[in-house]
Amino acid sequence: MSDTVLVIGSGGREHALGWKLSQSPRVKKIYHAPGNGGTSENVGIRHNDVGGLVNFAKKLGVDCLAVVGPEESLSLGVVDAFAREGLRIFGPTKQAAMLESSKVFAKEFMKSAGIPTAAFATFSDARKAKDYIKGQEGPLVVKADGLAAGKGVIVCNNAAEALEAIDSIMVRKGFGTAGASVVVEERLSGEEASFIALCDGKTIMPLASSQDHKRVFDGDKGPNTGGMGAYSPAPVVDEKLHDMILNRIMEPVVKKMQAHKTPFVGFLYAGIMVNEKTGEPSVLEFNARMGDPECQPIVMRMKSDLYEYIDAAVGGRLGSMPPIEWHDQTAVCVVMASRGYPGSYKKGEMIEGLGSDFGPDTMVFHAGTAKDSQGNVVTAGGRVLGVTSLGIDARRAIDNAYSAVRKIRWGENGHYYRTDIARRAIH
């Protein structure tokens, strides 16, 4: 049976998912809604137009399988809407996606399930939050409760910064209604890793480990972003840590979701902090979808047919599938962003160098791009491209990625990228 796939979203993650899914012999056509300047078969339906997405999927018929990229679509209940119409879709329901869409819900969920995470308190009153902060001793993290495009987490070095974070989120409403409530938690130290798995409600199928780079500047400085680069595998996740994360974090989530009658189907993502002294994992956050930019290096390394696994997950058959196979290489993704991101930046600048010879081990995944009236690819967002390369080891993959990055440019000094992506993998 040949199937049609509808990839919902417009970022680098969605371009990478579509690229990988298109390689399956079972997939005859891929549509992107709305897609970007690098994806083909784009449909003019926004990722948050749930009704429009349902109607389009109905026209495609029973052979259509939708794959959800962005968290906003999940939080709006796109999976629930498809299910009501008997349409196939891969992603968690609105209730299950609260693991990501509400930081307060996620922390309370972890506490009740006994999942290791930083000590925390939640507030919907700015004054009470400030009083609590004044009574704490160590460095803190302040998180807006709702979705804020990866930017609603403020890592604070001292109480003054934490108090300013409360003003920014709750008083000045920097993230709108997403900041009506906050989580204030202890700041953990150690090494971060991303652990992502496919779930069908009961079975967990782990993907390769990865590590992303949230801060905008080299050396993990500056404000948080949606992610400035990623690599896979992450050497910090050895076999022992892998099993700990699976047993102490992923399995308890899936079991508790099942017990709550809200089985988790989709990509389950745990952002992990590995304690530098004990080597024990704690959860920084859960995401209810594939990571971006982690998706790009993960799919570059995937040897297996991703469509077969997503189809099995939607049908509740993951338990009968063999483990996913991986290329024994390192993949590195360097995000090329518009200068000024995550603040204000120019749009509509023509991107040069996309036709360069990048070699067989490099893919340039599009994120914030569009096509102008002449068919030129132009910038249309903060994170513009995810230049992703394979290499026999981390050093070679890094060299390949940055060699490709140097061939691309736009505007007058219009682009920006970190120069230290995946350096940690070498050390």
Side-chain angles (χ1 to χ4, degrees), residues 63-293:
D63 291 345
C64 173
L65 172 59
V67 179
V68 189
E71 58 272 30
E72 188 187 4
S73 307
L74 298 169
S75 72
L76 291 170
V78 68
V79 172
D80 311 65
F82 270 61
R84 282 194 294 272
E85 299 292 336
L87 298 165
R88 292 195 303 154
I89 187 165
F90 181 63
T93 60
K94 182 177 181 177
Q95 181 63 34
M98 280 185 71
L99 272 179
E100 176 170 12
S101 63
S102 170
K103 296 281 192 293
V104 172
F105 173 87
K107 292 295 283 192
E108 298 290 0
F109 180 93
M110 285 186 259
K111 188 178 176 182
S112 65
I115 294 168
T117 188
F120 71 98
T122 63
F123 301 95
S124 54
D125 180 294
R127 187 176 52 78
K128 287 179 180 171
K130 288 181 175 183
D131 288 344
Y132 174 81
I133 288 166
K134 287 169 188 171
Q136 300 305 300
E137 289 181 359
L140 299 168
V141 178
V142 180
K143 300 178 175 180
D145 175 47
L147 296 175
K151 301 174 200 128
V153 175
I154 302 176
V155 180
C156 308
N157 294 309
N158 50 51
E161 289 182 9
L163 293 170
E164 166 54 27
I166 296 296
D167 279 336
S168 171
I169 295 171
M170 300 189 84
V171 180
R172 296 195 296 274
K173 297 184 170 35
F175 302 110
T177 54
S181 298
V182 296
V183 172
V184 180
E185 65 180 34
E186 67 170 320
R187 179 175 164 182
L188 301 176
S189 62
E191 188 165 354
E192 289 187 40
S194 303
F195 195 99
I196 306 171
L198 287 147
C199 299
D200 68 358
K202 51 189 184 295
T203 302
I204 299 162
M205 181 68 71
L207 300 178
S209 65
S210 57
Q211 189 172 67
D212 79 338
H213 299 67
K214 282 272 186 248
R215 302 291 194 96
V216 69
F217 300 129
D218 284 9
D220 294 325
K221 301 284 195 299
N224 269 349
T225 68
M228 292 300 293
Y231 62 94
S232 172
V236 67
V237 184
D238 57 17
E239 197 174 334
K240 181 184 174 190
L241 181 59
H242 180 279
D243 291 346
M244 268 198 274
I245 294 169
L246 210 50
N247 297 330
R248 298 184 192 177
I249 294 165
M250 307 301 273
E251 284 177 4
V253 171
V254 171
K255 282 177 182 160
K256 194 166 179 66
M257 282 284 179
Q258 251 189 312
H260 281 192
K261 303 284 191 287
T262 54
F264 192 99
V265 177
F267 291 111
L268 178 60
Y269 170 132
I272 302 292
M273 181 69 84
V274 184
N275 186 293
E276 50 206 348
K277 294 193 182 82
T278 65
E280 305 267 314
S282 292
V283 177
L284 295 173
E285 63 175 359
F286 281 118
N287 292 330
R289 38 78 197 178
M290 177 61 111
D292 186 351

Side-chain angles (χ1 to χ4, degrees), residues 304-324:
S304 301
D305 183 339
L306 177 60
Y307 183 80
E308 293 285 0
Y309 284 83
I310 287 179
D311 182 52
V314 171
R317 295 179 282 102
L318 260 189
S320 66
M321 298 291 284
I324 295 171

Side-chain angles (χ1 to χ4, degrees), residues 4-6 28 31 55-65:
T4 303
V5 174
L6 173 62
K28 64 178 178 188
Y31 293 95
N55 289 336
F56 183 72
K58 276 182 175 173
K59 285 179 193 161
L60 294 178
V62 292
D63 291 345
C64 173
L65 172 59

